[in-house]
Amino acid sequence: MKSRLPAASAALLLAGTLAACGASSPSSSGTPEAAELTVWFMKDSFSDEVVQQFRADFEAAHEGTTLDIQIQEWDGIGQKVTSALASNDAPDVIEVGNTQVAQYAASGGVVDLTDKIDDLQGDDWLPGLAEPGNIDGKQYGIPWYAANRVVIYHKDLFAAAGITEPPTTRDAWIADTQKLDAGGNQGIYLPGQNWFVLAGFIWDEGGDLAVQEGEGWRGALDTPEALAGMDFYAQLQALGEGPKDSDEANPPQADVFAKGTVAQLISAPGGAGAIIEANPELDGKLGFFPIPGPTADKPGAVFTGGSDLIIPEASQHQELAYEVVKALAGEKFQNQMAAAMSYVPNRVSLADALVGSEGAAAMAHGATNGRATPSSPSWAAVEANNVIKEYMTQVLTGGDPAEAAEQASATITQILDTDS
């Protein structure tokens, strides 16, 4: 970015759009005793370099303490965290999606950190990132970082196809991707179950995943608008070789892109770090642009979300666990993270950390059309049951779109009604 305004705008925009996602607080008396702590980070949240630097810094500042940072897969994480919270051997700190905090807090296994808000400078948090972690006035989830998806592209393949500027409309995007999908390359790598991307296409058409009716919720994948969004997804997905029955983690899409024959993928900007780690020769060859919308006047709709940090009640070292949370949510790590991963920091005052990043600039522009998943507290159960993923695979493998959407919508309605 060439000015400070876009970065600040990104933070403010995400503050307004990020939403949707029992317990004694750790004591603050005395200095916590040294211990070995187990910390769960999600796959592809951070590069190995960022993780290793944090571990080294924390252990240096807390003599005798060691961190066992374990990387978790998103697929199936809901049940894994729920089981951990109910066990006697839970991790000490867990990264969770912001849409998941309400689900975990309801289990009674998450520490209430409300009395730590001032110590963590909570008055400076992005409101939209902090709100999902606050359940009935209690802060269970500490906001960590925010992001939305962009298109990461291979500059050399674009140039070879004669494409000099990234597309700004859906029609141009399809046309360019068709050009790229030639000569042995994949125009785009888009797995069949990337439902966050589908959500954006549905929102662009004026539809939604579910809608509130009175005090209840109804699945809405069977509306004409949602079906149009699924149709566009199918058109785009067909211009690559992405699997129709798995998501972006299976196989890791960064590894696929790193082979050098994929022109585009859809990811948070930080995904570029995983690509370069897998293939250093691509360093300097990656570009970013916002997901195109139906018209050039605004980018395509995107899901804007982020991650929170929670401390399980079953942690045997809650005071030290809080020190980990404080360090991860603190200014030093937030600035390092923003520079390395192009994520939006958790504080409004740290927005300048995004200045100068091409990926962050694309993300900031995309955030102007950001949306959240349905605000039902039971939405996490829809995600956990893979309802939308299975619907997408059914359509992409030849099923009748209208029939599949009707079945999926009925399932969503049932889940939201049952769990509400």
Side-chain angles (χ1 to χ4, degrees):
M1 297 183 200
K2 297 182 179 179
S3 72
R4 308 179 80 139
L5 180 59
S9 298
L12 294 175
L13 286 164
L14 285 168
T17 56
L18 285 169
C21 291
S24 59
S25 176
S27 169
S28 58
S29 59
T31 301
E33 294 184 2
E36 180 178 353
L37 302 182
T38 300
V39 180
W40 284 4
F41 287 173
M42 298 308 302
K43 184 177 177 62
D44 293 335
S45 287
F46 297 100
S47 65
D48 289 344
E49 182 180 0
V50 171
V51 173
Q52 292 167 7
Q53 185 63 57
F54 173 74
R55 179 192 289 113
D57 289 348
F58 187 87
E59 292 179 353
H62 299 79
E63 186 176 355
T65 292
T66 58
L67 298 183
D68 178 16
I69 299 177
Q70 301 177 5
I71 307 303
Q72 306 296 317
E73 298 283 350
W74 282 107
D75 190 29
I77 192 61
Q79 183 57 54
K80 188 170 185 177
V81 171
T82 300
S83 298
L85 295 176
S87 74
N88 294 321
D89 188 29
D92 298 286
V93 177
I94 305 176
E95 174 189 356
V96 300
N98 63 333
T99 63
Q100 300 170 329
V101 177
Q103 173 191 6
Y104 299 143
S107 73
V110 181
V111 172
D112 175 8
L113 296 171
T114 306
D115 66 351
K116 300 298 185 184
I117 293 177
D118 289 343
D119 187 42
L120 296 171
Q121 299 187 38
D123 59 349
D124 193 28
W125 285 340
L126 295 172
L129 189 57
E131 288 163 5
N134 190 293
I135 314 300
D136 297 328
K138 296 182 178 181
Q139 196 75 39
Y140 295 99
I142 301 304
W144 195 15
Y145 63 86
N148 54 264
R149 288 163 175 77
V150 300
V151 181
I152 301 176
Y153 71 98
H154 193 313
K155 293 180 178 179
D156 287 357
L157 297 184
F158 267 57
I163 303 169
T164 58
E165 296 290 339
T168 58
T169 68
R170 276 191 186 179
D171 288 344
W173 194 18
I174 290 291
D176 285 350
T177 305
Q178 288 171 335
K179 293 178 184 178
L180 293 160
D181 192 38
N185 297 319
Q186 291 190 59
I188 189 169
Y189 182 81
L190 181 60
Q193 295 184 343
N194 195 329
W195 70 271
F196 284 117
V197 174
L198 171 64
F201 297 161
I202 290 174
W203 292 328
D204 277 337
E205 296 289 346
D208 211 332
L209 307 174
V211 294
Q212 191 166 16
E213 293 184 342
E215 296 182 359
W217 287 83
R218 175 178 60 80
L221 294 175
D222 55 345
T223 64
E225 294 83 4
L227 287 167
M230 183 65 228
D231 181 68
F232 180 75
Y233 190 102
Q235 291 181 51
L236 191 64
Q237 201 270 341
L239 296 175
E241 300 171 11
K244 301 181 187 301
D245 59 352
S246 63
D247 59 20
E248 59 271 31
N250 299 294
Q253 63 176 5
D255 291 348
V256 177
F257 193 98
K259 295 176 181 178
T261 58
V262 175
Q264 308 169 83
L265 61 73
I266 300 172
S267 167
I275 294 169
I276 294 169
E277 185 175 337
N279 183 358
E281 292 184 2
L282 291 178
D283 193 9
K285 298 182 179 181
L286 304 182
F288 308 82
F289 61 89
I291 294 175
T295 58
D297 58 319
K298 65 178 181 179
V302 290
F303 167 72
T304 50
S307 281
D308 283 19
L309 298 166
I310 62 172
I311 299 175
E313 279 282 7
S315 166
Q316 302 300 306
H317 311 286
Q318 289 188 12
E319 292 184 19
L320 265 176
Y322 172 67
E323 292 300 315
V324 173
V325 170
K326 185 175 181 179
L328 290 169
E331 182 173 351
K332 178 180 179 180
F333 181 79
Q334 289 289 308
N335 280 319
Q336 291 175 339
M337 169 204 74
M341 306 300 298
S342 297
Y343 292 149
V344 177
N346 62 2
R347 302 185 195 177
V348 174
S349 64
L350 300 180
D352 285 349
L354 295 173
V355 172
S357 167
E358 182 183 351
M363 183 169 63
H365 188 50
T368 62
N369 198 13
R371 295 281 297 272
T373 52
S375 59
S376 166
S378 301
W379 181 256
V382 175
E383 297 183 21
N385 283 277
N386 293 325
V387 179
I388 304 177
K389 288 184 175 183
E390 292 174 3
Y391 154 67
M392 296 172 73
T393 292
Q394 191 172 351
V395 173
L396 293 174
T397 55
D400 179 77
E403 182 178 335
E406 184 177 356
Q407 293 173 350
S409 295
T411 302
I412 291 173
T413 301
Q414 183 180 23
I415 292 173
L416 298 183
D417 283 348
T418 300
D419 293 344
S420 60

